[in-house]
């Protein structure tokens, strides 16, 4: 019966899932807040050029657009909040000392779905550290991500690191832009034959994927001195959460890292069908032509609610007609959810209540 | 400098206002949750006909529309969440025993602004009781509204009651639809001369506006027996919050009550430039051609943040480079916000910190 009620990629969240999702989001943001990340709340839509031009290598090609009858300019519904936070940091908070720590949560809308994100109306929760993309900055952001997921009770979290611009760094000067793009694609697809055709020396990068320590050792072995400082940095970042979560490394993974620069990571959890979040370093374009480094992560609320949180028992107390309202108020203060009867025909069963107020006391149904 | 950054009627919420707004919303919804109102979270956009046809006398004329490339049908960005909640109640929760208690919060988008709502990208928080619009239902909803605002710390709350379909009830059979529409308009505008021209017997309705008890007495006096049960109902509803907040009555007010039926109310607060919310009874159209009564209220987050909440002191603890991270973690557990130095040049002042960690203890800057 629900088929056709909403367009593909859109969905309603109902009780009790919507409450669980709100609780999760609250805990994630409270955890980030304790690390100094303060909330920003940009609007649902803004000038399309303001969104599209803000992140180096970012774009707004997947945004719903419309002509604003007031300004006669094209507006875009945000497909992503990171670019909006970049705009705020680069304009209204341009004179705020760096680094700036910001957090956000809200719905985003995409014109079409991708395999990576089948949802078109999704919810994004995130944290951005603007003004730095150093190892220390990355350590902090990765720590906040893992602590926030832990505070939210997300089970079986793991992290997969990547080095989004690794192949550009290694091969940038030796290949034409076309060949480089093709090499990137083939590394992404783990197409060993294809990679060998272009640059066989990078074949070991495909093999250097897996459990973090083993993959790091292979990568160090095969890349020699060229990457020593970068790999030392990666090791230091991973060290911040080592032993707390399972860690892997997939150095050439670029899926989902459209605008990230030197460091990226994906977050996974038990029971979630896909990554529950992604993060990494990127570059914000300021209005004055300057660039600014930044690092952050986003969580995908729609994937997160798939996780296996166990079941939170609902305790609802049915308050029959004629009960003392002051007694019900005191019980709410003690943490009860009270559901008042409004008609003779109301019943605890119909209202999904676990308890009934009898002689002023809650009794299990 | 910020002029022109965003379209008219759109704005960013920055620290610390965005955090204050999130806190307020959390408290409002927690208060409603304690009365059994569970969260729903409908998507940002849906089929325009699903939105437009749901509330009797409601419409989606002010919605941003776009053609969905997947379904090839027209979608609307929600200009209001109440209609979406009505859709959920009428379809996916159609078989849930009545009344159904639901709450929600999220952004809405309007194509053009009105005098009543200058914001085009706004945030709506609300509560809906579906299946009943009795006096008992209205008492509950008004109680939840006032308790929620109290829990959120909103200062100087007052409530203004109205009877949206009063003039239709009184004059519906005696005037042509055109004359009735004109009379409604003139009552709305408090145009005594214009009202006298059409139906002088309704002039006292304009005068019966003001402090609740006085206005009720006048109204009873001038309408005789025709409205006795309705006015008794209104008195019973007001009784639920009498003595807790200031109350007024403006029986013919219709501004902002496009789809409400027999009872409506506006909420005000100290320091807010306009109403902070509105509520009332309305009718949901079910897919099967049946109608269903409902009652609820919405709060306008953008007006709410104008209220004078006093200032919440920010306590931020600067953690110098080389400090023990475990000590910082313990302090976060005790409720501190810690801001870690990431570079030698970081300072407590630049990070708006009130305290510095020295020898393992927070000291005021």
């Amino acid at each position: 019966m629900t088929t056709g009620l909403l367009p593909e990629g859109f969905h309603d969240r109902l009780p009790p899932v919507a409450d669980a999702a709100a609780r999760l989001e609250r805990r994630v943001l409270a955890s980030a807040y304790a690390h100094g990340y303060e909330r920003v709340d940009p609007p649902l839509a803004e000038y399309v050029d303001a969104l599209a031009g803000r992140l180096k290598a970012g774009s707004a090609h997947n945004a719903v657009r419309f002509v604003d009858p007031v300004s006669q300019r094209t507006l875009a519904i945000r497909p992503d909040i990171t670019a909006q936070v970049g705009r705020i940091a680069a304009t209204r908070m341009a004179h705020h000392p760096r680094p700036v720590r910001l957090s956000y949560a809200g719905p985003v809308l995409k014109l079409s779905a991708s395999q990576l994100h089948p949802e078109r109306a999704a919810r994004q929760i995130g944290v951005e550290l603007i003004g730095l993309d150093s190892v220390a900055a990355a350590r902090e952001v990765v720590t906040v991500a893992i602590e926030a997921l832990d505070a939210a009770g997300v089970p079986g979290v793991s992290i997969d690191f990547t080095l989004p611009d690794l192949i550009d760094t290694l091969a940038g000067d030796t290949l034409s832009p076309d060949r480089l793009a093709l090499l990137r694609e083939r590394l992404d697809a783990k197409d060993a034959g294809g990679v060998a055709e272009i640059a066989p020396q990078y074949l070991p990068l495909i093999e250097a994927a897996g459990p973090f320590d083993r993959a790091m050792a292979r990568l160090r072995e095969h890349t020699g001195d060229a990457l020593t400082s970068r790999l030392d940095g990666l090791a230091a970042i991973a060290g911040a959460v080592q032993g707390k979560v399972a860690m892997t490394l997939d150095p050439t993974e670029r899926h989902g890292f459209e605008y990230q620069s030197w460091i990226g990571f994906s977050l996974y959890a038990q029971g979630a069908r896909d990554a529950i979040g992604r993060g990494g370093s990127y570059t914000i374009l300021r209005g004055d032509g300057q660039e600014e480094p930044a690092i952050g992560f986003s969580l995908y609320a729609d994937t997160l609610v798939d996780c296996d949180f166990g079941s939170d028992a609902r305790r609802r107390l049915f308050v029959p007609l004629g009960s003392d309202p002051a007694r019900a108020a005191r019980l709410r203060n003690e943490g009860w959810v009270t559901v008042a009867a409004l008609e003779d025909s109301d019943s605890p069963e119909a209202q999904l209540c676990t308890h009934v107020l009898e002689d002023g006391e809650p009794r299990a149904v």
Side-chain angles (χ1 to χ4, degrees), chain A:
Chain A
M1 196 199 89
T2 65
T3 319
L5 213 57
L6 289 174
E8 229 178 287
F10 291 69
H11 71 285
D12 293 314
R13 221 175 271 149
L14 302 184
V17 177
D19 275 304
R23 200 158 44 232
L24 185 141
E25 181 172 310
R26 204 160 60 228
R27 288 176 184 166
V28 164
L29 291 171
S31 181
Y33 186 80
H35 281 275
Y37 289 79
E38 296 191 307
R39 194 82 170 257
V40 285
D41 193 8
L44 265 191
E46 50 181 276
Y47 295 126
V48 68
D49 38 335
L51 271 182
R54 195 54 65 183
L55 300 188
K56 199 174 172 181
S59 79
H61 68 276
N62 203 11
V64 169
R65 289 152 198 252
F66 63 100
V67 175
D68 173 18
V70 179
S71 67
Q72 296 291 326
R73 289 173 61 186
T74 302
L75 308 191
I77 310 288
R78 61 184 182 203
D80 165 70
I81 304 179
T82 307
Q84 293 191 297
V85 175
R87 174 186 55 73
I88 289 175
T91 54
R92 299 190 54 184
M93 297 185 78
H95 301 294
H96 192 291
R98 267 42 184 166
V100 175
R101 289 171 172 87
L102 299 173
S103 71
Y104 58 84
V108 295
L109 190 68
K110 286 166 192 185
L111 195 56
S112 55
S114 67
Q115 212 181 350
L116 204 61
H117 299 290
E119 289 298 331
R120 295 195 286 159
R123 195 164 177 87
Q124 187 184 352
I125 310 168
V127 153
E128 311 292 342
L129 176 71
I130 293 144
L132 277 179
D133 68 351
S134 62
V135 169
R139 276 179 67 94
E140 171 165 310
V141 164
V142 167
T143 303
V144 171
I146 299 304
E147 279 189 15
L149 291 169
D150 184 50
V154 177
V157 172
S158 65
I159 185 166
D160 184 36
F161 289 97
T162 180
L163 298 164
D165 69 358
L166 175 67
I167 197 63
D168 299 56
T169 307
L170 286 174
D173 295 336
T174 63
L175 290 174
S176 70
D178 282 2
R179 299 282 286 172
L180 184 61
L182 194 62
L183 177 59
R184 269 197 226 109
E185 242 171 61
R186 290 177 175 179
L187 281 166
D188 239 10
K190 313 271 182 268
D191 169 8
V195 169
E197 229 177 76
I198 301 178
Q201 69 271 33
Y202 300 127
L203 267 177
L205 295 182
I206 295 184
E207 286 150 30
F212 189 81
D213 289 337
R214 205 193 60 193
M216 276 291 272
R218 282 192 179 211
L219 203 54
R220 283 190 192 275
E221 189 183 317
H222 289 293
T223 55
D225 295 341
L227 292 179
T228 303
S229 75
R230 177 172 294 220
L231 294 181
D232 288 351
L234 176 57
I237 295 165
V241 292
Q242 194 143 28
K244 292 178 188 154
V245 292
M247 302 197 307
T248 52
L249 172 63
D250 187 348
T252 63
E253 175 73 41
R254 292 176 50 92
H255 269 318
F257 296 94
E258 288 78 14
Y259 56 76
Q260 277 80 3
S261 52
W262 77 276
I263 175 84
F265 55 90
S266 300
L267 298 160
Y268 295 90
Q270 179 187 313
R273 64 189 129 89
D274 204 337
I276 55 168
R278 280 193 179 79
S281 59
Y282 58 94
T283 302
I284 296 172
L285 303 179
R286 296 179 63 129
D288 54 10
Q290 300 289 306
E291 299 186 350
E292 181 165 42
I295 185 162
F297 68 86
S298 292
L299 301 177
Y300 314 135
D302 305 272
T303 317
L304 268 169
V305 293
D306 289 346
C307 296
D308 176 19
F309 291 98
S311 56
D312 229 21
R314 279 201 266 188
R315 291 204 326 162
R316 284 161 65 95
L317 174 64
F318 186 78
V319 179
L321 276 178
S323 303
D324 175 17
R327 178 69 188 132
R330 279 194 302 277
L331 288 163
R332 280 194 298 277
N333 277 338
E334 290 170 16
W336 282 95
V337 169
T338 67
V339 182
L342 297 176
E343 294 185 301
D344 283 333
S345 57
D346 280 351
S347 74
E349 292 72 25
Q351 290 299 322
L352 306 172
C353 288
T354 53
H355 294 73
V356 179
L357 189 64
E358 272 178 34
D359 306 324
E361 292 305 323
R363 281 175 217 267
V365 172

